[in-house]
Amino acid sequence: MWLWLPQFLAQDISKLSDKGLYGDSFGSVNSLFTGLAFAALIFTILLQQREIRLQRDDIKIQMEEMRLSRAEITRQGDLQQKQIALDAASLKMKKLEIRIVEIQMMAEQWNPSARLQNVQSKFDEVKQQMEEILDELNKDV
């Protein structure tokens, strides 16, 4: 119908000047659609601005979340390092406790005078090592 209607209306028009007037009568429709197209363009631009603003806000939120995540990961890494240091100190202490039991078992084999000389120096040595472990642990924590 869209193709047929202009031909049907133009059949009665025989002169070229009348055909020009007939075509000009559609100028107002042309102006209407041009105006609507321009309004749609402005509306589209406004929608894009809104979307860009929302994206910018989302990016800011994501950056803040990433900053908080990075801080949390750093904190967890520090805690893990402290836990490793504590576990290492615990293993060293267990080793020294075993050394104390070994010294006690060796001391039972010696006579009382030799026991005092040898055992006291070995116990002092172990005590010194334990204090060093505790000092090192206090520095790390």
Side-chain angles (χ1 to χ4, degrees):
M1 183 156 176
W2 179 72
L3 292 172
W4 176 76
L5 185 62
Q7 290 174 355
F8 176 73
L9 293 175
Q11 283 177 359
D12 293 337
I13 303 172
S14 58
K15 291 194 279 178
L16 189 58
S17 63
D18 290 340
K19 287 183 181 182
L21 289 173
Y22 174 73
D24 289 342
S25 67
F26 291 104
S28 61
V29 175
N30 186 20
S31 297
L32 173 68
F33 284 115
T34 303
L36 288 175
F38 186 70
L41 178 68
I42 297 298
F43 182 70
T44 303
I45 290 172
L46 293 175
L47 284 177
Q48 285 180 346
Q49 282 181 338
R50 182 174 175 229
E51 286 296 320
I52 290 171
R53 190 178 313 117
L54 290 173
Q55 286 177 352
R56 192 177 305 130
D57 292 344
D58 286 344
I59 289 172
K60 285 179 184 177
I61 290 169
Q62 287 175 355
M63 288 176 61
E64 180 64 19
E65 287 177 4
M66 287 173 54
R67 187 187 64 77
L68 292 173
S69 295
R70 190 172 43 239
E72 180 63 22
I73 289 171
T74 301
R75 188 185 70 79
Q76 287 177 356
D78 292 344
L79 287 175
Q80 286 177 347
Q81 287 178 345
K82 289 177 183 178
Q83 184 64 41
I84 289 170
L86 186 61
D87 291 344
S90 176
L91 287 174
K92 289 177 184 176
M93 287 296 212
K94 292 284 184 193
K95 179 182 172 186
L96 291 176
E97 288 173 8
I98 292 171
R99 178 75 176 129
I100 289 172
V101 171
E102 179 187 2
I103 292 170
Q104 288 173 342
M105 291 174 69
M106 287 174 32
E108 290 178 9
Q109 297 173 1
W110 296 331
N111 64 26
S113 63
R115 189 179 303 164
L116 263 175
Q117 281 181 330
N118 292 327
V119 171
Q120 187 61 41
S121 65
K122 291 185 188 289
F123 276 138
D124 289 341
E125 217 177 276
V126 170
K127 181 181 175 186
Q128 176 68 27
Q129 289 175 351
M130 285 182 164
E131 287 174 357
E132 288 172 4
I133 291 170
L134 289 175
D135 288 342
E136 183 180 314
L137 188 60
N138 285 334
K139 287 178 188 175
D140 290 340
V141 176

